[in-house]
C-alpha cells in the first residue's frame, strides 16, 4: 500500500498550507480535542494506549484514503488493530513504514496515552453528556 498518489499528496500539501496558521499554533502534544484514544489491548499488554491524532491526519489525507482504501471503520476502537498487522503494512502501517511517514520503531510517538485511558474520542460531546461515571473524560486529568 505504498501507492498514495501524488495528487493526494498535492491536495494534502495545499490544505496544509491553507491551514498552516492555525495548525502551527496548536501542535498536538498528547490527546487533544478530537484525538482517538485506542486502548483495546495496549493496557493489557503493558503499553501506553495509542493516540491517533485525527485532525493532524485529516488535513493531510482525504477521508477516503483511510476509511475506504485502508478499511478503517468509522468507530473509535472499532478496528482490530495489532502490531503484527501494522508491521505487515495494514492500518497505521500502510503509512508508518519509513516511506510515507516514520516507521514503527517510534513506539512512544503512537503509544503516548496516559495508562488507563479507555478507548474514546477525546473530548467527545456525547461522552461528556453521558459522562461522570467510570468513563470520566481524560482531558480533566491531563
Ligand atoms: C490517516 C487516516 C485517516 C484519515 C485521513 C481520516 N480518518 Fe477518520 N479515523 C481514522 C482512524 C484510525 C480512526 C479510529 C479508528 C479506531 O479507533 O479503530 C478514525 C475514526 C473516525 C470516526 C469515528 C470517531 C469519531 O471521531 O467520531 C469518524 C466519524 C471519522 N474517522 C471520520 C473521518 C472523516 C470525515 C475524515 C475526513 C475528513 C477522516 N475520518 C479522515 C483514520 C483516518
Ligand atoms: C504508528 C503507530 C504505532 C507505532 C509506531 C507503534 N504502535 Fe503499537 N499499536 C498501535 C495501535 C494503534 C495499536 C492497537 C492499540 C489497542 O488496541 O490497544 C497497537 C498495539 C500494540 C500492542 C498491543 C498488542 C499487539 O501486539 O498488538 C503492543 C504490545 C504494542 N502496540 C507495542 C508496540 C511497540 C513495542 C512499538 C515499537 C516497536 C509499537 N507498538 C509501535 C500503534 C503503533
Ligand atoms: C494515510 C497515511 C497514514 C496513516 C494510515 C496513519 N498515519 Fe500517522 N502520520 C502520517 C503522516 C504523513 C504523518 C506525519 C509524518 C511526519 O511528520 O514526518 C503522521 C504522523 C503521526 C503522528 C505524529 C503526529 C504529530 O503531532 O507529529 C502520530 C502520533 C501518528 N501519525 C499516529 C498514527 C496512528 C496511531 C495511526 C493508525 C491508527 C496512523 N498514524 C495512521 C500518515 C499516516
Amino acid at each position: 500500500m505504498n501507492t498514495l498518489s501524488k495528487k493526494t499528496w498535492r491536495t494534502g500539501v495545499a490544505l496544509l498550507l491553507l491551514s498552516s496558521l492555525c495548525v502551527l499554533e496548536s501542535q498536538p502534544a498528547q490527546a487533544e480535542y478530537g484525538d482517538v484514544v485506542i486502548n483495546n489491548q495496549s493496557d493489557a499488554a503493558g503499553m501506553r494506549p495509542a493516540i491517533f491524532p485525527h485532525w493532524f491526519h485529516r488535513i493531510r489525507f482525504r477521508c477516503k484514503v483511510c476509511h475506504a482504501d485502508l478499511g478503517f471503520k468509522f468507530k473509535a476502537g472499532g478496528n482490530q488493530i495489532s502490531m503484527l498487522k501494522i508491521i505487515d503494512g495494514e492500518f497505521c502501517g500502510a503509512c508508518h513504514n519509513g516511506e510515507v511517514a516514520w516507521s514503527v520503531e517510534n513506539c512512544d510517538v503512537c503509544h503516548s496515552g496516559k495508562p488507563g485511558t479507555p478507548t474514546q474520542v477525546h473530548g467527545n460531546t456525547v461522552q461528556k453528556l453521558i459522562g461522570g461515571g467510570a468513563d470520566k473524560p481524560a482531558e480533566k486529568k491531563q
Side-chain angles (χ1 to χ4, degrees), residues 37-52 57 72 77 79-87 91-93 95-97 102-111 119:
V37 180
I38 308 176
N39 191 4
N40 291 334
Q41 322 177 55
S42 298
D43 263 347
M47 285 300 284
R48 301 170 70 138
I51 306 274
F52 176 68
H57 289 83
F72 278 107
N79 297 276
Q80 304 292 321
I81 307 175
S82 72
M83 283 320 292
L84 270 182
K85 289 181 187 167
I86 291 176
I87 289 161
F91 296 119
C92 321
C95 300
H96 289 280
N97 55 9
W102 40 264
S103 75
V104 285
E105 66 259 17
N106 301 290
C107 317
D108 296 345
V109 186
C110 290
H111 292 279
T119 297

Side-chain angles (χ1 to χ4, degrees), residues 9-121:
W9 271 105
R10 259 185 263 124
T11 311
V13 170
L15 282 173
L16 179 60
L17 289 176
L18 280 175
S19 48
S20 59
L21 282 180
C22 27
V23 173
L24 289 175
E25 264 168 25
S26 61
Q27 281 299 322
Q30 294 217 325
E32 65 169 20
Y33 181 80
D35 285 357
V36 180
V37 180
I38 308 176
N39 191 4
N40 291 334
Q41 322 177 55
S42 298
D43 263 347
M47 285 300 284
R48 301 170 70 138
I51 306 274
F52 176 68
H54 209 174
W55 280 107
F56 180 98
H57 289 83
R58 280 188 186 191
I59 59 170
R60 286 166 172 78
F61 302 94
R62 292 187 198 163
C63 319
K64 176 181 171 294
V65 172
C66 292
H67 289 292
D69 300 352
L70 299 180
F72 278 107
K73 298 202 174 86
F74 290 104
K75 186 173 188 297
N79 297 276
Q80 304 292 321
I81 307 175
S82 72
M83 283 320 292
L84 270 182
K85 289 181 187 167
I86 291 176
I87 289 161
D88 250 21
E90 289 181 60
F91 296 119
C92 321
C95 300
H96 289 280
N97 55 9
E99 291 177 37
V100 180
W102 40 264
S103 75
V104 285
E105 66 259 17
N106 301 290
C107 317
D108 296 345
V109 186
C110 290
H111 292 279
S112 68
K114 204 174 163 166
T117 312
T119 297
Q120 63 178 288
V121 181

